[in-house]
Coordinates of all heavy atoms in Angstrom, one line a residue:
P352 N -72.7 46.1 -37.7 CA -71.7 45.0 -37.9 C -72.0 44.1 -39.0 O -73.1 43.7 -39.2 CB -71.7 44.3 -36.5 CG -72.2 45.4 -35.6 CD -73.2 46.2 -36.4
Y353 N -70.9 43.7 -39.7 CA -71.1 42.8 -40.8 C -70.1 41.7 -40.8 O -68.9 41.9 -40.7 CB -70.9 43.6 -42.1 CG -71.1 42.9 -43.4 CD1 -72.3 42.9 -44.0 CD2 -70.1 42.1 -44.0 CE1 -72.6 42.2 -45.2 CE2 -70.3 41.4 -45.1 CZ -71.6 41.5 -45.7 OH -71.8 40.8 -46.9
D354 N -70.6 40.5 -40.8 CA -69.7 39.3 -40.9 C -70.2 38.6 -42.2 O -69.5 38.6 -43.2 CB -69.8 38.4 -39.7 CG -68.9 37.2 -39.7 OD1 -67.9 37.3 -40.5 OD2 -69.1 36.3 -39.0
E355 N -71.3 38.0 -42.1 CA -71.9 37.3 -43.3 C -73.1 38.1 -43.9 O -73.7 37.7 -44.9 CB -72.3 35.9 -43.0 CG -71.1 35.0 -42.6 CD -71.6 33.6 -42.2 OE1 -72.8 33.3 -42.3 OE2 -70.7 32.9 -41.7
G356 N -73.5 39.2 -43.2 CA -74.5 40.1 -43.7 C -75.9 39.8 -43.2 O -76.8 40.5 -43.6
A357 N -76.1 38.8 -42.4 CA -77.4 38.4 -41.9 C -78.1 39.6 -41.1 O -79.3 39.8 -41.3 CB -77.4 37.2 -41.0
L358 N -77.3 40.3 -40.3 CA -77.9 41.3 -39.5 C -78.4 42.5 -40.3 O -79.5 43.0 -40.2 CB -76.8 41.8 -38.5 CG -77.3 42.8 -37.4 CD1 -78.5 42.3 -36.7 CD2 -76.2 43.1 -36.4
R359 N -77.6 42.9 -41.3 CA -78.0 43.9 -42.2 C -79.2 43.5 -43.0 O -80.2 44.3 -43.2 CB -76.9 44.3 -43.2 CG -75.7 45.0 -42.5 CD -74.7 45.5 -43.4 NE -73.6 46.1 -42.7 CZ -72.5 46.6 -43.3 NH1 -72.5 46.7 -44.7 NH2 -71.5 47.1 -42.6
R360 N -79.2 42.3 -43.5 CA -80.4 41.8 -44.3 C -81.6 41.7 -43.5 O -82.7 41.7 -44.1 CB -80.0 40.5 -45.0 CG -79.1 40.6 -46.2 CD -79.0 39.3 -46.9 NE -78.6 38.1 -46.1 CZ -77.4 37.7 -45.8 NH1 -76.4 38.4 -46.3 NH2 -77.2 36.7 -45.0
S361 N -81.5 41.6 -42.2 CA -82.7 41.3 -41.3 C -83.5 42.6 -41.1 O -84.6 42.6 -40.5 CB -82.2 40.8 -40.0 OG -81.7 41.8 -39.2
A362 N -83.0 43.8 -41.6 CA -83.6 45.0 -41.3 C -85.1 45.0 -41.8 O -85.3 44.7 -43.0 CB -82.9 46.2 -41.9
L363 N -86.0 45.4 -40.9 CA -87.4 45.5 -41.3 C -87.8 46.9 -41.1 O -87.7 47.5 -40.0 CB -88.3 44.6 -40.4 CG -89.8 44.7 -40.6 CD1 -90.2 44.1 -41.9 CD2 -90.5 44.0 -39.4
V364 N -88.3 47.6 -42.2 CA -88.7 49.0 -42.1 C -90.2 49.1 -42.1 O -90.9 48.5 -42.9 CB -88.1 49.7 -43.4 CG1 -88.5 51.2 -43.4 CG2 -86.6 49.5 -43.5
T365 N -90.7 49.9 -41.2 CA -92.1 50.3 -41.2 C -92.2 51.8 -41.2 O -91.1 52.5 -41.3 CB -92.8 49.8 -39.9 OG1 -92.3 50.6 -38.8 CG2 -92.6 48.3 -39.7
H366 N -93.4 52.4 -41.2 CA -93.5 53.9 -41.2 C -93.0 54.5 -39.9 O -92.8 55.7 -39.8 CB -94.9 54.3 -41.6 CG -95.9 54.0 -40.6 ND1 -96.4 52.7 -40.4 CD2 -96.5 54.8 -39.7 CE1 -97.3 52.8 -39.4 NE2 -97.4 54.0 -38.9
K367 N -92.9 53.7 -38.8 CA -92.5 54.2 -37.5 C -91.0 53.9 -37.1 O -90.4 54.6 -36.4 CB -93.4 53.7 -36.4 CG -94.8 54.3 -36.5 CD -95.6 53.7 -35.3 CE -97.0 54.3 -35.4 NZ -97.8 53.8 -34.2
S368 N -90.5 52.8 -37.6 CA -89.3 52.3 -37.0 C -88.5 51.4 -38.0 O -89.0 51.0 -39.1 CB -89.5 51.5 -35.7 OG -90.2 50.3 -36.0
I369 N -87.3 51.1 -37.6 CA -86.4 50.1 -38.3 C -86.1 49.1 -37.2 O -85.6 49.4 -36.1 CB -85.2 50.7 -38.8 CG1 -85.5 51.9 -39.7 CG2 -84.4 49.7 -39.6 CD1 -84.3 52.8 -40.1
T370 N -86.2 47.8 -37.5 CA -85.9 46.7 -36.6 C -84.9 45.8 -37.2 O -85.1 45.4 -38.4 CB -87.1 45.9 -36.2 OG1 -88.1 46.8 -35.7 CG2 -86.8 44.9 -35.2
W371 N -83.8 45.5 -36.5 CA -82.8 44.6 -37.0 C -82.8 43.4 -36.1 O -83.1 43.5 -34.9 CB -81.4 45.2 -36.9 CG -81.0 46.1 -37.9 CD1 -80.4 45.9 -39.1 CD2 -81.2 47.6 -37.9 NE1 -80.2 47.1 -39.8 CE2 -80.7 48.1 -39.0 CE3 -81.7 48.4 -36.9 CZ2 -80.7 49.5 -39.3 CZ3 -81.8 49.8 -37.2 CH2 -81.2 50.3 -38.4
G372 N -82.6 42.2 -36.7 CA -82.4 41.0 -35.9 C -83.5 40.0 -35.7 O -83.4 39.1 -34.9
R373 N -84.6 40.3 -36.4 CA -85.7 39.3 -36.3 C -85.2 37.9 -36.7 O -84.5 37.8 -37.7 CB -86.9 39.7 -37.2 CG -87.6 40.9 -36.7 CD -88.7 41.3 -37.7 NE -89.4 40.2 -38.2 CZ -90.7 39.9 -38.0 NH1 -91.4 40.7 -37.2 NH2 -91.3 38.9 -38.6
N374 N -85.5 36.9 -35.9 CA -85.0 35.5 -36.1 C -83.5 35.4 -36.0 O -83.0 34.4 -36.5 CB -85.5 35.0 -37.5 CG -87.0 35.1 -37.6 OD1 -87.7 34.8 -36.6 ND2 -87.6 35.5 -38.7
L375 N -82.8 36.3 -35.4 CA -81.4 36.2 -35.2 C -81.2 36.3 -33.7 O -81.9 37.1 -33.0 CB -80.6 37.3 -35.9 CG -80.6 37.4 -37.4 CD1 -79.9 38.6 -37.9 CD2 -80.0 36.1 -38.0
G376 N -80.3 35.6 -33.1 CA -80.1 35.7 -31.7 C -79.1 36.7 -31.2 O -78.9 36.9 -30.0
H377 N -78.4 37.3 -32.2 CA -77.2 38.1 -31.7 C -77.4 39.6 -32.0 O -76.5 40.4 -31.6 CB -76.0 37.6 -32.5 CG -76.0 37.9 -34.0 ND1 -76.8 37.1 -34.8 CD2 -75.4 38.8 -34.8 CE1 -76.7 37.5 -36.1 NE2 -75.8 38.5 -36.0
A378 N -78.5 40.1 -32.5 CA -78.6 41.5 -32.8 C -78.4 42.4 -31.6 O -77.7 43.4 -31.6 CB -80.0 41.8 -33.4
H379 N -79.1 42.1 -30.5 CA -79.0 42.9 -29.3 C -77.5 43.0 -28.8 O -77.0 44.0 -28.4 CB -79.9 42.4 -28.2 CG -79.7 43.0 -26.9 ND1 -80.1 44.3 -26.6 CD2 -79.1 42.6 -25.7 CE1 -79.8 44.7 -25.4 NE2 -79.2 43.7 -24.8
Y380 N -76.8 41.8 -28.8 CA -75.4 41.8 -28.3 C -74.6 42.7 -29.2 O -73.7 43.4 -28.8 CB -74.9 40.4 -28.3 CG -75.8 39.5 -27.5 CD1 -76.4 38.3 -28.0 CD2 -76.1 39.8 -26.1 CE1 -77.2 37.5 -27.3 CE2 -76.9 38.9 -25.4 CZ -77.5 37.8 -26.0 OH -78.3 37.0 -25.2
Q381 N -74.8 42.6 -30.5 CA -74.0 43.4 -31.5 C -74.3 44.9 -31.3 O -73.4 45.7 -31.3 CB -74.3 43.0 -32.9 CG -73.9 41.6 -33.3 CD -72.4 41.6 -33.5 OE1 -71.7 42.5 -33.8 NE2 -71.8 40.4 -33.2
Y382 N -75.5 45.2 -31.0 CA -75.9 46.6 -30.8 C -75.2 47.1 -29.5 O -74.7 48.2 -29.4 CB -77.4 46.8 -30.7 CG -77.8 48.2 -30.5 CD1 -77.9 49.1 -31.5 CD2 -78.2 48.7 -29.2 CE1 -78.2 50.4 -31.4 CE2 -78.6 50.0 -29.0 CZ -78.6 50.8 -30.1 OH -79.0 52.2 -29.9
E383 N -75.3 46.3 -28.4 CA -74.7 46.7 -27.2 C -73.2 46.8 -27.2 O -72.5 47.5 -26.5 CB -75.1 45.8 -26.0 CG -76.6 46.0 -25.7 CD -77.0 47.4 -25.2 OE1 -76.1 48.0 -24.6 OE2 -78.1 47.8 -25.5
G384 N -72.6 46.0 -28.1 CA -71.1 46.1 -28.3 C -70.3 45.4 -27.2 O -69.1 45.8 -27.1
Q385 N -70.9 44.5 -26.5 CA -70.1 43.8 -25.5 C -70.4 42.3 -25.5 O -71.5 41.9 -25.9 CB -70.2 44.4 -24.1 CG -71.5 44.4 -23.5 CD -71.4 45.0 -22.1 OE1 -70.7 44.6 -21.3 NE2 -72.2 46.1 -21.9
V386 N -69.4 41.6 -25.0 CA -69.6 40.1 -24.9 C -70.5 39.8 -23.8 O -70.4 40.3 -22.7 CB -68.2 39.5 -24.7 CG1 -68.3 38.0 -24.5 CG2 -67.2 39.8 -25.9
Y387 N -71.5 38.9 -24.1 CA -72.3 38.4 -23.0 C -72.0 37.0 -22.7 O -71.5 36.2 -23.6 CB -73.8 38.5 -23.5 CG -74.4 39.8 -23.3 CD1 -74.0 40.9 -24.1 CD2 -75.5 40.0 -22.5 CE1 -74.5 42.2 -23.9 CE2 -76.1 41.3 -22.3 CZ -75.6 42.4 -23.1 OH -76.2 43.6 -22.9
G388 N -72.1 36.6 -21.5 CA -71.7 35.2 -21.1 C -72.8 34.6 -20.2 O -73.8 35.2 -20.0
P389 N -72.6 33.4 -19.8 CA -71.3 32.6 -19.7 C -70.9 32.2 -21.1 O -71.6 32.0 -22.0 CB -71.7 31.4 -18.9 CG -73.1 31.2 -19.1 CD -73.7 32.6 -19.3
N390 N -69.5 32.1 -21.2 CA -68.9 31.7 -22.5 C -68.2 30.4 -22.3 O -67.5 30.2 -21.4 CB -67.9 32.8 -22.9 CG -68.6 34.0 -23.4 OD1 -69.2 34.1 -24.4 ND2 -68.7 35.0 -22.5
I391 N -68.4 29.5 -23.3 CA -67.7 28.2 -23.3 C -66.9 28.1 -24.6 O -67.4 28.4 -25.7 CB -68.7 27.1 -23.3 CG1 -69.5 27.2 -22.0 CG2 -68.0 25.7 -23.4 CD1 -70.7 26.3 -22.0
P392 N -65.6 27.8 -24.5 CA -64.8 27.8 -25.8 C -65.1 26.5 -26.6 O -65.4 25.5 -26.1 CB -63.3 27.7 -25.2 CG -63.5 27.1 -23.9 CD -64.8 27.5 -23.4
V393 N -65.1 26.7 -27.9 CA -65.2 25.6 -28.9 C -63.8 25.4 -29.4 O -63.1 26.3 -30.0 CB -66.1 26.0 -30.1 CG1 -66.1 24.8 -31.1 CG2 -67.5 26.2 -29.5
I394 N -63.2 24.2 -29.1 CA -61.8 23.9 -29.4 C -61.7 23.0 -30.6 O -62.4 21.9 -30.6 CB -61.1 23.4 -28.2 CG1 -61.2 24.4 -27.1 CG2 -59.7 23.0 -28.5 CD1 -60.7 23.9 -25.7
K395 N -60.9 23.3 -31.6 CA -60.6 22.4 -32.7 C -59.1 22.3 -32.8 O -58.4 23.4 -32.9 CB -61.2 23.0 -34.0 CG -62.5 22.4 -34.4 CD -62.8 22.9 -35.8 CE -64.2 22.3 -36.2 NZ -64.7 22.9 -37.4
N396 N -58.6 21.1 -32.9 CA -57.1 20.9 -33.1 C -56.4 21.6 -32.0 O -55.3 22.2 -32.3 CB -56.7 21.3 -34.5 CG -57.3 20.6 -35.6 OD1 -57.7 19.4 -35.4 ND2 -57.5 21.2 -36.7
G397 N -56.9 21.6 -30.8 CA -56.2 22.2 -29.7 C -56.3 23.7 -29.6 O -55.6 24.3 -28.7
E398 N -57.0 24.4 -30.5 CA -57.1 25.9 -30.5 C -58.6 26.3 -30.3 O -59.5 25.6 -30.9 CB -56.5 26.5 -31.8 CG -55.1 26.3 -31.9 CD -54.5 27.1 -33.1 OE1 -55.1 28.2 -33.4 OE2 -53.5 26.7 -33.7
I399 N -58.8 27.4 -29.6 CA -60.1 28.0 -29.5 C -60.5 28.6 -30.8 O -59.8 29.5 -31.3 CB -60.2 29.0 -28.4 CG1 -59.9 28.4 -27.0 CG2 -61.6 29.7 -28.3 CD1 -59.7 29.3 -25.9
V400 N -61.6 28.1 -31.4 CA -62.0 28.7 -32.7 C -63.2 29.7 -32.6 O -63.4 30.5 -33.4 CB -62.4 27.6 -33.7 CG1 -61.2 26.8 -34.1 CG2 -63.5 26.7 -33.2
R401 N -63.9 29.5 -31.5 CA -65.0 30.5 -31.2 C -65.5 30.2 -29.8 O -65.1 29.3 -29.2 CB -66.1 30.4 -32.2 CG -66.9 29.1 -32.3 CD -67.9 29.1 -33.5 NE -68.4 27.8 -33.6 CZ -69.7 27.5 -33.2 NH1 -70.4 28.4 -32.7 NH2 -70.1 26.2 -33.3
W402 N -66.4 31.1 -29.4 CA -67.0 31.0 -28.0 C -68.5 30.9 -28.2 O -69.1 31.5 -29.1 CB -66.7 32.2 -27.2 CG -65.2 32.3 -26.9 CD1 -64.2 32.8 -27.6 CD2 -64.6 31.9 -25.7 NE1 -63.0 32.7 -27.0 CE2 -63.2 32.2 -25.8 CE3 -65.0 31.3 -24.5 CZ2 -62.3 31.9 -24.8 CZ3 -64.1 31.1 -23.5 CH2 -62.8 31.4 -23.6
V403 N -69.2 30.1 -27.4 CA -70.6 30.0 -27.4 C -71.2 30.1 -26.0 O -70.5 29.8 -25.0 CB -71.1 28.7 -28.0 CG1 -70.7 28.5 -29.5 CG2 -70.6 27.5 -27.2
S404 N -72.4 30.5 -25.9 CA -73.1 30.5 -24.6 C -74.1 29.4 -24.6 O -74.8 29.2 -25.6 CB -73.8 31.9 -24.4 OG -72.8 32.9 -24.2
P405 N -74.3 28.8 -23.5 CA -75.3 27.7 -23.4 C -76.7 28.2 -23.8 O -77.2 29.2 -23.2 CB -75.3 27.2 -22.0 CG -74.0 27.8 -21.4 CD -73.7 29.0 -22.2
P406 N -77.4 27.5 -24.7 CA -78.8 28.0 -25.0 C -79.7 27.8 -23.8 O -79.5 26.9 -23.0 CB -79.2 27.0 -26.1 CG -78.2 26.0 -26.2 CD -77.0 26.4 -25.4
G407 N -80.6 28.8 -23.7 CA -81.6 28.7 -22.6 C -81.2 29.3 -21.3 O -81.9 29.4 -20.4
K408 N -79.9 29.6 -21.2 CA -79.4 30.2 -19.9 C -79.4 31.7 -20.1 O -79.1 32.3 -21.1 CB -77.9 29.7 -19.7 CG -77.8 28.3 -19.5 CD -77.3 28.0 -18.1 CE -77.1 26.5 -17.9 NZ -76.9 26.1 -16.6
K409 N -79.7 32.4 -19.0 CA -79.6 33.9 -19.0 C -78.2 34.4 -19.2 O -77.3 33.9 -18.7 CB -80.1 34.4 -17.6 CG -80.2 35.9 -17.6 CD -81.1 36.3 -16.4 CE -81.2 37.8 -16.3 NZ -81.6 38.6 -17.4
K410 N -78.1 35.4 -20.1 CA -76.8 35.9 -20.5 C -76.6 37.2 -19.7 O -77.5 38.0 -19.5 CB -76.8 36.2 -22.0 CG -77.3 35.1 -22.9 CD -76.5 33.9 -22.9 CE -76.9 32.9 -23.9 NZ -78.0 32.0 -23.6
Y411 N -75.4 37.5 -19.4 CA -75.0 38.7 -18.7 C -73.9 39.4 -19.4 O -73.0 38.7 -19.9 CB -74.5 38.3 -17.3 CG -75.6 37.7 -16.4 CD1 -75.7 36.3 -16.3 CD2 -76.5 38.5 -15.7 CE1 -76.7 35.7 -15.6 CE2 -77.5 37.9 -15.0 CZ -77.6 36.5 -14.9 OH -78.6 35.9 -14.1
P412 N -73.9 40.7 -19.4 CA -72.7 41.4 -20.0 C -71.5 41.2 -19.2 O -71.5 41.2 -18.0 CB -73.1 42.9 -19.9 CG -74.3 43.0 -19.0 CD -74.9 41.6 -18.9
T413 N -70.4 40.9 -19.9 CA -69.1 40.6 -19.2 C -68.2 41.9 -19.0 O -67.3 41.8 -18.3 CB -68.3 39.6 -20.1 OG1 -68.0 40.2 -21.3 CG2 -69.1 38.3 -20.3
G414 N -68.6 42.9 -19.7 CA -67.8 44.1 -19.7 C -66.7 44.2 -20.7 O -66.0 45.2 -20.9
R415 N -66.5 43.0 -21.4 CA -65.5 43.0 -22.5 C -66.1 43.5 -23.8 O -67.2 43.1 -24.2 CB -65.0 41.6 -22.7 CG -64.1 41.1 -21.6 CD -63.5 39.7 -21.9 NE -64.6 38.7 -21.8 CZ -64.7 37.7 -22.7 NH1 -63.9 37.5 -23.7 NH2 -65.8 36.9 -22.6
R416 N -65.5 44.4 -24.5 CA -66.0 45.0 -25.7 C -65.9 44.0 -26.9 O -64.9 43.2 -27.0 CB -65.2 46.3 -26.1 CG -65.2 47.3 -25.0 CD -66.6 47.9 -24.6 NE -67.3 48.4 -25.7 CZ -68.6 48.6 -25.7 NH1 -69.3 48.3 -24.7 NH2 -69.3 49.1 -26.7
L417 N -66.9 44.0 -27.8 CA -66.8 43.2 -29.0 C -65.8 43.9 -29.9 O -65.7 45.1 -29.9 CB -68.2 43.2 -29.7 CG -69.2 42.3 -29.1 CD1 -70.5 42.4 -29.9 CD2 -68.8 40.8 -29.1
R418 N -65.2 43.1 -30.7 CA -64.3 43.7 -31.8 C -65.0 43.5 -33.1 O -65.4 42.3 -33.4 CB -62.9 43.0 -31.8 CG -62.1 43.5 -30.6 CD -60.7 42.9 -30.6 NE -60.9 41.7 -29.8 CZ -60.2 40.6 -29.8 NH1 -59.2 40.5 -30.7 NH2 -60.4 39.6 -29.0
Y419 N -65.2 44.5 -33.9 CA -65.9 44.4 -35.1 C -64.8 44.3 -36.2 O -63.9 45.1 -36.3 CB -66.8 45.6 -35.4 CG -67.9 45.7 -34.3 CD1 -67.8 46.7 -33.3 CD2 -68.9 44.8 -34.3 CE1 -68.8 46.7 -32.4 CE2 -69.9 44.9 -33.4 CZ -69.9 45.8 -32.4 OH -70.8 45.9 -31.4
S420 N -65.0 43.4 -37.1 CA -64.0 43.1 -38.2 C -64.2 44.0 -39.4 O -63.2 44.2 -40.1 CB -64.1 41.6 -38.6 OG -65.4 41.3 -39.0
T421 N -65.3 44.5 -39.6 CA -65.6 45.4 -40.8 C -65.3 46.8 -40.5 O -66.0 47.3 -39.6 CB -67.0 45.1 -41.4 OG1 -67.2 43.8 -41.6 CG2 -67.2 46.0 -42.6
P422 N -64.4 47.5 -41.1 CA -64.1 48.9 -40.8 C -65.4 49.8 -40.9 O -66.2 49.6 -41.8 CB -63.1 49.3 -41.9 CG -62.5 48.0 -42.3 CD -63.6 47.0 -42.2
G423 N -65.5 50.7 -40.0 CA -66.7 51.6 -40.0 C -67.9 51.1 -39.3 O -68.8 51.9 -39.0
T424 N -67.9 49.8 -38.9 CA -69.1 49.3 -38.2 C -68.8 49.5 -36.7 O -67.7 49.6 -36.2 CB -69.3 47.8 -38.5 OG1 -68.2 47.0 -38.1 CG2 -69.6 47.6 -39.9
Q425 N -69.9 49.5 -35.9 CA -69.8 49.8 -34.5 C -71.0 49.4 -33.7 O -72.0 49.0 -34.4 CB -69.6 51.3 -34.3 CG -70.8 52.1 -34.7 CD -70.5 53.6 -34.5 OE1 -69.6 54.2 -35.1 NE2 -71.3 54.2 -33.7
D426 N -71.0 49.5 -32.4 CA -72.2 49.3 -31.6 C -73.0 50.6 -31.7 O -72.5 51.6 -32.2 CB -71.8 48.9 -30.2 CG -70.9 50.0 -29.5 OD1 -71.4 51.1 -29.4 OD2 -69.8 49.6 -29.1
H427 N -74.2 50.5 -31.2 CA -75.1 51.6 -31.1 C -75.1 52.4 -32.5 O -74.8 53.6 -32.5 CB -74.8 52.6 -30.0 CG -75.0 51.9 -28.6 ND1 -74.0 51.1 -28.0 CD2 -76.1 51.8 -27.8 CE1 -74.5 50.6 -26.9 NE2 -75.8 51.0 -26.8

Side-chain angles (χ1 to χ4, degrees):
Y353 184 92
D354 185 18
E355 295 176 7
L358 188 54
R359 290 184 185 184
R360 285 190 306 273
S361 76
L363 174 69
V364 179
T365 71
H366 69 283
K367 290 184 180 180
S368 66
I369 307 167
T370 303
W371 284 269
R373 287 175 44 112
N374 302 319
L375 299 175
H377 66 286
H379 172 74
Y380 306 123
Q381 292 290 327
Y382 182 79
E383 290 301 325
Q385 63 178 302
V386 176
Y387 279 64
N390 291 280
I391 300 168
V393 175
I394 301 172
K395 262 191 183 171
N396 299 327
E398 290 189 32
I399 298 173
V400 292
R401 64 187 173 103
W402 294 81
V403 296
S404 290
K408 296 244 184 194
K409 185 161 175 56
K410 314 294 188 277
Y411 297 95
T413 64
R415 288 183 293 138
R416 303 299 303 162
L417 286 176
R418 283 180 270 156
Y419 298 107
S420 58
T421 304
T424 61
Q425 65 180 60
D426 58 59
H427 296 87

